[in-house]
Amino acid sequence: MAEGVLSPGVNLEAFSQAIAAIQALRSSVTRVFDCLKDGMRNKETLEGREKSFVACFQESLHSVSRDLSELERLSNLVGKPSENHPLHNSGLLSLDPVQDKTPLYSQLLQAYKWSNKKACFSAKVQHLLEFVKVSLVMGWKVCTKTD
């Protein structure tokens, strides 16, 4: 496997930076909620509390916006995996290291196969019903002409 590439089309370095950006974004969001939780405490005057709260809240929101922009930038650098899973992103569940405890992927794959069989079967039934309908109409016409 090439250095710096997770799979064809995925940049490992950008992937690592994106994970770090996610952690930074989570921290920024936590700071926003901490600021909201603390509210306007720890100041003597109402005006001082309001100014402190607004400044803290604005800085926290600016930090969230900055971290989100960085994450969006990095997500474009990561690239897309080239593997085609029949279940799209759900196919990545097969990479779960704890498959014994979470048989979700195998159940999902079984449901996908069942859905495909059902679609095929319903198409065959539709053709059969069309044939029966045409046969009945033709038979009805034959019966009415002979009477």
Side-chain angles (χ1 to χ4, degrees):
M1 182 184 288
E3 184 68 29
V5 177
L6 184 63
S7 67
V10 177
N11 183 348
L12 185 58
E13 181 64 29
F15 192 76
S16 175
Q17 290 175 357
I19 290 175
I22 290 170
Q23 292 170 339
L25 179 62
R26 288 182 64 169
S27 297
S28 298
V29 170
T30 300
R31 283 193 300 274
V32 167
F33 285 109
D34 286 343
C35 181
L36 289 173
K37 178 189 68 159
D38 293 341
M40 297 188 296
R41 297 183 196 158
N42 303 329
K43 294 289 180 188
E44 294 82 29
T45 64
L46 179 63
E47 185 177 313
R49 286 185 284 188
E50 287 176 355
K51 286 181 180 179
S52 173
F53 173 74
V54 169
C56 173
F57 192 64
Q58 284 179 339
E59 177 59 34
S60 299
L61 287 179
H62 178 68
S63 177
V64 168
S65 176
R66 184 182 61 244
D67 291 342
L68 185 59
S69 297
E70 178 68 11
L71 180 60
E72 287 176 348
R73 183 187 70 78
L74 289 170
S75 68
N76 291 329
L77 295 176
V78 169
K80 300 197 184 310
S82 64
E83 297 177 34
N84 289 329
H85 294 284
L87 303 172
H88 302 290
N89 288 341
S90 304
L92 298 175
L93 289 171
S94 67
L95 302 176
D96 186 8
V98 193
Q99 278 189 333
D100 296 340
K101 296 179 182 175
T102 56
L104 186 60
Y105 176 72
S106 59
Q107 291 172 355
L108 190 62
L109 193 59
Q110 186 177 7
Y112 177 76
K113 289 177 182 178
W114 180 83
S115 177
N116 280 348
K117 286 181 184 179
K118 180 192 66 78
C120 183
F121 181 72
S122 65
K124 289 179 182 178
V125 168
Q126 181 182 6
H127 290 297
L128 183 62
L129 289 175
E130 288 292 325
F131 177 74
V132 169
K133 178 181 172 184
V134 169
S135 297
L136 287 175
V137 169
M138 296 303 271
W140 181 257
K141 288 181 181 178
V142 170
C143 289
T144 55
K145 287 184 180 179
T146 59
D147 289 342

